[in-house]
Every structure is written in C-alpha cells, then in structure tokens.
C-alpha cells in the first residue's frame, strides 16, 4: 500500500505513469494503485481526493490514470473514453471491467473487447488475478479467446510465466490446441512442482500416446517423474500399451498410489503381485516399498510375521515401511511397536506413533511423560505428546 500511495502522489504531481510506477508493473501493483486512490491510507492528508481533470486543459496521462481510479463512478466512467490515447493505461481498463458500478463496468468491457489481442496477452497476469473477483470473468474470457484463436507464438511465452495462474491457463490452452508435443508434455509433468500441471500434462501425454500408438520414450519419462501422481499415470498407461511386465519394477515405489497402480497392471497381465512381494521381502536386500506393499495386499496370518521381522531391519526406511505395512494389515500390537518410539530414526518414530494412536490408552502415562521431556529428541517428544492427547 505504501508504494501504491507513492505512485498516486506522483501521478497527482503530473508525472508519467511509467515514471510514477518506478519500475514496478506487476498485477498486484495496479490493483493496489486503484485501491490507494479510492481509499487513501490513514496517513494521507485529511480528505485527500485525486485532482479532477481540468475541463479547459488537454487531458493528460497521469490525470486520466487518477480519474480511472476515482471514488466517484461518474468520473471513472468519463475517463474510460480517454484510455485509448494512453496504451500504458490498459491495465486500469482491465481493472474497471470488474467495477461495482454497472455503467462503468459495461463501458469498460465494451472498450476491452476492441483492444488488440497482444494487449490482452500482455496483461494476462492481471486479468487472471482479477478473475478471482465476482465480476472478473469477462476479461478472462477475452484472454482465452485471444490465446485460442491467435497465433501460437502468443501462447508459448506465457508457459514460462513466473505467475502460477498464468502458467496454468497457458498450459490448458496449449493442450487444447495441441501446441505441445507428447515428449515435452511428459517432461513438464515429470519436472514440474505444480500438481495441476503434473495432472494436466501427464494426462495429455498419455492420451497422445494412446491416440498415435507411438511411445517415443514418453512413458519412460513419466515413470521417472518427481511426483507419485505422474509415475502413477505412467504405470497405468503400461496396461494400455500391453507392457504388463514393466509394472513389476514399480511394485516397490515409494508412493502408495504408484504401488497400487502397479499391482493393478500386474494383475491385468495375469500375475498375482502377492507372491512377488513375499519374495521381495524374503531376500537379503529389501526395498522399503516392498514392506509397505506386502502390508497393502498381504494376508494377516501369513504375512504379519514377515513384517514383524522387518521392524528390526537395519535400514530405517525399511523399518518405517514395515510399520506402515503392519498398520495396513491391521496387525499392530502395542508391545511390539512401543520400543520404536525410541528409535534413532525420526521417520520410524513418526510411523510408530501413527500406528499406535488407536492404542494410546494402553500406555502407562508416566512412561509417555518420561519421553515428553527436554532431554528427549524432538520426534520422540512429539510422538509422546500425540499419544498423551489421544489417551485422554
């Protein structure tokens, strides 16, 4: 708000908009300017109002900018017809498209509909920020039309925008228009930290493979993605491609969703995954995901003993997943997992705490309070506190 108020004062002094902004031109800056002019901060001069345009003088850019933000709707509306003279004021025209006063809003929308598509694309971040408002949909519709009907070159820069909403919007348009090849879609899904883009691009990449019948390495990229949901999409696509055997390698994935998809594909290929999990958990080298997977699809009578043995495994990741497997198998016993509340691995302590919460009332209160002491490690203290709360 401080910067926006400074900009408003500079405009009142007659300084050009770009100079008044001082190099800041974000969507938030334009919205803040609109609010600062209409609702000056508490430290502004009493009864400060933006200076009205001089009817006898030629209109100016800073005067028009202030008039567009004026608290009087008639003044805002009258200023709209001067926007076309000043291209730098297009952001304020976009803001006025969400105006609470219907005459101002409708006039602004009529003018925005005549704006060049390139101008709309340049204001994508502001348009999508205002789209969150109750009356903000019009400009977003205009932007969508400009991107869907305009040249592909207008879409590509927005794919790399620093604004998340803009990136998502641009990627949706690019997918609709088929502007991105399957390999690029797969790479975006595999590398992006945005769950929305992960789902959008993974689904589009898989659909492209299904439509053309050509993989070209797309599934391989998805199967090595950072996100479990992307890897799950790749594993599920193996079934459509008839590559059932390849799903076996993902039975021990660190993500439960991926393991579930892998079991589904393996079964579709005619193989029961349970014997595979039993073999994986019986060897000298046990993958953590194997212990979790055995609990997710195993038999209580036959497989609980294997998981209890893995609770004492030297690898803390295996111990933690063995606890999760016991929990999934409904084979948790307080006396068996209580020692893990003192485990040197924080991950094991957390897993044991989650598994023991339904058994919290079985613990001696003093035993838990001993662990909820300043001398205990943080994970141990947090676990003891959770169990103490659950026991009440």
């Amino acid at each position: 708000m401080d910067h926006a108020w400074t900009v408003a004062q500079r405009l009142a002094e007659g300084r050009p908009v770009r100079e008044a902004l001082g190099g800041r031109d974000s969507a938030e800056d334009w919205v803040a300017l609109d609010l600062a002019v209409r609702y000056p901060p508490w430290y502004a001069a009493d009864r400060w109002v933006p200076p009205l345009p001089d009817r006898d003088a030629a209109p100016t850019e800073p005067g028009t900018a202030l008039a567009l933000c004026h608290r009087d709707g008639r003044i805002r509306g009258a200023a709209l017809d001067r926007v076309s003279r000043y291209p730098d004021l297009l952001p304020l025209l976009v803001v006025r498209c969400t105006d609470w006063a219907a005459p101002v809003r409708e006039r602004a929308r009529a003018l925005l509909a005549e704006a060049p598509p390139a101008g709309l694309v340049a204001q994508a971040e502001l348009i999508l920020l205002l789209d969150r408002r109750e009356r903000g949909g019009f400009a977003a519709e205009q932007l969508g039309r400009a991107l869907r009907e305009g040249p592909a070159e207008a879409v590509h820069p927005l794919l790399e925008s620093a604004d998340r909403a803009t990136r998502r919007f641009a990627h949706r348009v690019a997918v609709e228009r088929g502007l991105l090849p399957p390999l690029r879609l797969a790479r975006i899904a595999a590398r992006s930290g945005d769950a929305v883009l992960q789902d959008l691009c993974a689904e589009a990449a898989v659909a492209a493979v299904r439509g053309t019948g050509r993989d070209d390495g797309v599934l391989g990229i998805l199967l090595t993605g950072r996100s479990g949901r992307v890897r799950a999409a790749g594993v599920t696509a193996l079934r459509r491609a008839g590559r059932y055997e390849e799903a076996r390698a993902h039975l021990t994935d660190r993500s439960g969703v991926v393991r579930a998809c892998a079991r589904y594909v393996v079964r579709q290929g005619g193989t029961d995954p349970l014997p595979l999990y039993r073999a994986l958990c019986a060897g000298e080298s046990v993958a953590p995901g194997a212990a979790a997977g055995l609990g997710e699809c195993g038999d209580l009578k036959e497989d609980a003993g294997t998981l209890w043995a893995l609770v004492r495994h030297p690898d803390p990741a295996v111990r933690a997943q063995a606890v999760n497997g016991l929990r999934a198998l409904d084979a948790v016993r307080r006396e068996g997992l209580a020692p893990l509340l003192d485990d040197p691995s924080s991950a094991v302590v957390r897993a044991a705490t989650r598994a023991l919460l339904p058994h919290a009332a079985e613990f001696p209160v003093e035993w838990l309070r001993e662990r909820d002491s300043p001398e205990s490690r943080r994970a141990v203290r947090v676990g003891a506190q959770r169990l103490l709360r659950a026991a009440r």
Side-chain angles (χ1 to χ4, degrees):
M1 189 65 174
D2 289 345
H3 176 69
W5 175 238
T6 300
V7 175
Q9 291 177 303
R10 291 171 179 168
L11 291 172
E13 296 168 1
R15 296 165 71 172
V17 169
R18 289 294 163 189
E19 181 183 335
L21 287 168
R24 291 176 56 170
D25 186 20
S26 71
E28 290 80 4
D29 288 323
W30 287 106
V31 172
L33 173 62
D34 178 49
L35 294 175
V37 174
R38 193 151 60 256
Y39 307 108
W42 62 269
Y43 51 81
D46 289 344
R47 301 190 179 186
W48 184 91
V49 293
L52 295 176
D54 187 345
R55 294 182 179 180
D56 297 328
T60 64
E61 183 191 62
T64 302
L66 290 172
L68 286 168
C69 304
H70 201 281
R71 65 187 63 173
D72 189 325
R74 291 168 295 184
I75 295 175
R76 297 197 302 275
L80 287 171
D81 289 326
R82 300 196 297 274
V83 172
S84 59
R85 306 179 190 179
Y86 310 111
D88 285 343
L89 297 186
L90 181 59
L92 290 178
L93 176 62
V94 174
V95 173
R96 294 281 65 83
C97 287
T98 68
D99 202 285
W100 68 271
V104 178
R105 184 172 67 248
E106 295 306 319
R107 179 57 181 156
R109 291 180 176 182
L111 292 171
L112 189 70
E114 299 172 359
L120 291 173
V121 174
Q123 299 304 322
E125 181 179 347
L126 175 61
I127 289 172
L128 295 174
L129 175 64
L130 295 173
D131 187 38
R132 304 173 194 172
R133 294 185 176 180
E134 182 180 354
R135 296 177 289 270
F138 177 83
E141 292 174 4
Q142 297 297 307
L143 173 64
R145 184 176 296 110
L147 291 176
R148 291 182 179 92
E149 299 176 0
E153 291 74 17
V155 180
H156 288 296
L158 299 185
L159 297 174
E160 306 298 331
S161 171
D163 179 61
R164 183 177 65 179
T166 303
R167 285 197 310 275
R168 289 177 175 179
F169 195 90
H171 277 84
R172 290 190 188 100
V173 172
V175 168
E176 289 176 20
R177 294 186 60 178
L179 300 180
L180 301 176
L183 273 175
R184 182 172 177 186
L185 288 168
R187 291 190 183 102
I188 294 170
R191 298 171 184 172
S192 174
D194 185 337
V196 172
L197 291 188
Q198 290 169 4
D199 289 345
L200 174 70
C201 294
E203 290 174 7
V206 169
V209 170
R210 186 168 62 247
T212 62
R214 296 176 52 188
D215 182 342
D216 295 331
V218 169
L219 297 189
I221 294 173
L222 295 178
L223 291 170
T224 57
R226 293 167 50 187
S227 166
R229 61 204 308 142
V230 173
R231 298 196 301 278
V235 169
T236 304
L238 291 174
R239 181 191 67 82
R240 301 189 187 98
R243 295 156 56 178
Y244 305 103
E245 288 298 312
E246 293 181 43
R248 291 192 181 200
H250 303 278
L251 290 171
T252 60
D253 193 277
R254 61 184 181 275
S255 166
V257 173
V258 179
R259 292 193 298 270
C261 291
R263 289 194 293 272
Y264 167 73
V265 175
V266 168
R267 288 192 186 101
Q268 292 294 301
T271 302
D272 183 358
L274 181 53
L276 300 178
Y277 276 120
R278 287 171 175 165
L280 289 168
C281 290
E284 294 183 4
S285 178
V286 180
L294 181 60
E296 290 161 352
C297 71
D299 178 80
L300 177 60
K301 292 183 178 179
E302 294 188 36
D303 300 310
T306 300
L307 291 174
W308 278 113
L310 293 176
V311 163
R312 299 183 292 275
H313 196 277
D315 185 345
V318 175
R319 293 199 300 276
Q321 291 293 9
V323 172
N324 293 335
L326 288 169
R327 186 178 170 207
L329 207 55
D330 198 19
V332 172
R333 297 196 309 271
R334 180 189 67 84
E335 62 276 12
L337 293 187
L340 295 185
L341 294 175
D342 296 318
D343 195 275
S345 167
S346 297
V348 176
V349 174
R350 289 192 294 268
T353 300
R354 286 193 300 269
L356 288 168
L357 285 174
H359 304 267
E362 302 172 18
F363 282 91
V365 173
E366 288 304 318
W367 190 87
L368 291 175
R369 284 178 176 164
E370 288 176 6
R371 281 147 184 80
D372 183 20
S373 65
E375 293 77 22
S376 299
R377 291 182 295 116
R378 184 178 185 279
V380 175
R381 290 200 314 274
V382 171
Q385 291 165 6
R386 292 184 66 188
L387 290 167
L388 283 167
R389 288 194 298 269
R392 291 173 184 169

